[in-house]
Amino acid sequence: MIDALDRALVHALHVDGRAPFSRIGSVLGVSTQTVARRFRRLAAEASLRVVGLAEPGRAGRTQWLLRLGAGPHTAQDLARALARRPDTSWVRLASGGTEILAVVQTPADDGHTLLLHDLPRTNGITAVSAHCLLHVYRGGPTGWRGREAVLTADQVRLLRPGREGPVTVRPLADTDLPLLETLGRDGRASHAELAAATGWSPATVARRLAELQASGALFFDVDLDDTVLGAIAQALLWMSVAPARLDEVARALAGHPELAFVAATTGPTNLVAQALCPDPAGLHAYLTRRLGALDAIRSLESAPVLRTVKGAGPLGPAPARVRR
């Protein structure tokens, strides 16, 4: 079972995914060995890992949320095939296992290979809809508050990475790709490992990491099975909101502790959110009492999430060792 120390560790990694275990242990009042042991257990039992991700807009990428209908005997295979692609994230099975939800990133100035070529030729898909994510109000660097309700303000301040003087920021370039690919597999990779992947010196790696984080071009996310935190009932919510009030409603929803993701989209519905609740009764209460009180929401469709096939970062083998 996950306990208060495990929750504090998850919160600490949200504050700084690359914080040394020694610093986390000092802030939490436990030994470095205890933090490392807890991290290993959560990695094995709850799929915990840290991933480094480029901010899509800074990387010249457009994000799409796909809804794919499929037969019950083919949906899982299709979901796994999507999860293996480097341009997908957050692949989930929903709606009784006959719907696949996935986020796809496409080059902003290029053709959409997956959308226009690969999916239409895939056997077993019965329906396709693609919703461009116009603006993300919660998600990415601002994740679910259910993971971040443990540490005190002083503990958060002690964990936040420091900034030493002004940072000269260069935009993302092709030369950053090896760095981003390595961090996408393991956000806690050491400077020596990143230097080996990029051909840079460890000092250059450290400087470039500081630049990208300071500019917001790079952030670190935490992959985790949220059911261990009590989020048993999960659902994607598709809402239609009066356009004049879309921004107002989206900003209000971004403050709801039940939601881990809120974004404005294209399509017949213009607002999507992901709800994480302790049980079906909690989800019902949220839908009827919190969302039901917002008169600007003209329609609501909920799609229960059954399983997460892929999280924020690319699939890959677990790290060979735990970095302190």
Side-chain angles (χ1 to χ4, degrees):
M1 291 290 292
I2 192 169
D3 60 15
L5 180 56
D6 291 329
R7 289 175 176 270
L9 171 57
V10 171
H11 190 172
L13 292 172
H14 266 284
V15 176
D16 182 4
R18 291 182 60 83
F21 287 163
S22 57
R23 179 149 56 94
I24 294 176
S26 176
V27 171
L28 300 186
V30 297
S31 69
T32 301
Q33 292 75 17
T34 295
V35 174
R37 185 171 62 252
R38 293 299 184 107
F39 184 96
R40 284 193 297 267
R41 183 171 62 79
L42 288 172
E45 299 177 3
S47 302
L48 173 67
R49 63 176 183 149
V50 176
V51 292
L53 302 171
E55 197 283 320
R58 303 290 184 92
R61 298 270 171 172
T62 298
Q63 293 192 98
W64 297 81
L65 183 56
L66 299 185
R67 299 186 72 178
L68 308 177
H73 301 297
T74 59
Q76 293 194 42
D77 289 341
L78 288 170
R80 284 193 288 265
L82 278 172
R84 288 192 292 269
R85 294 181 61 103
D87 55 355
T88 65
S89 60
W90 302 117
V91 180
R92 291 175 165 88
L93 284 169
S95 304
T98 59
E99 183 175 29
I100 304 165
L101 306 168
V103 173
V104 178
Q105 291 192 14
T106 63
D109 58 352
D110 195 4
H112 308 302
T113 302
L114 178 64
L115 303 179
L116 299 178
H117 182 271
D118 296 351
L119 288 178
R121 298 188 178 191
T122 302
N123 293 328
I125 294 179
T126 59
V128 178
S129 63
H131 307 256
C132 183
L133 299 184
L134 302 176
H135 185 78
V136 176
Y137 291 86
R138 175 158 290 277
T142 57
W144 179 42
R145 285 192 172 90
R147 296 182 179 183
E148 303 174 353
V150 181
L151 302 181
T152 66
D154 284 342
Q155 287 176 312
V156 170
R157 178 180 52 78
L158 292 171
L159 283 165
R160 288 201 187 282
R163 299 282 183 253
E164 297 182 1
V167 176
T168 301
V169 178
R170 294 178 288 112
L172 281 169
D174 290 344
T175 52
D176 293 311
L177 290 178
L179 176 70
L180 296 174
E181 289 172 356
T182 305
L183 291 172
R185 291 188 296 270
D186 179 12
R188 293 185 63 83
S190 68
H191 285 168
E193 291 166 321
L194 295 173
T198 58
W200 303 341
S201 69
T204 299
V205 166
R207 184 166 58 250
R208 188 57 175 152
L209 281 175
E211 291 176 356
L212 294 175
Q213 283 188 268
S215 71
L218 172 69
F219 67 95
F220 291 90
D221 202 356
V222 177
D223 261 354
L224 179 70
D225 177 3
D226 285 311
T227 61
V228 301
L229 298 177
I232 305 302
Q234 303 187 19
L236 264 289
L237 310 178
W238 304 86
M239 292 163 277
S240 177
V241 179
R245 299 186 62 186
L246 177 60
D247 188 66
E248 168 199 342
V249 172
R251 292 184 184 280
L253 295 190
H256 288 190
E258 297 88 350
L259 299 183
F261 176 74
V262 180
T265 73
T266 59
T269 57
N270 56 1
L271 189 62
V272 63
Q274 181 194 7
L276 304 177
C277 297
D279 50 37
L283 178 60
H284 175 263
Y286 175 69
L287 297 179
T288 57
R289 298 173 189 173
R290 299 292 298 278
L291 291 188
L294 299 174
D295 58 4
I297 299 177
R298 301 185 295 198
S299 66
L300 170 67
E301 175 193 355
S302 59
V305 174
L306 302 184
R307 186 161 69 91
T308 296
V309 181
K310 183 181 185 181
L315 297 180
R321 62 184 178 81
V322 175
R323 281 92 184 173
R324 295 187 177 186

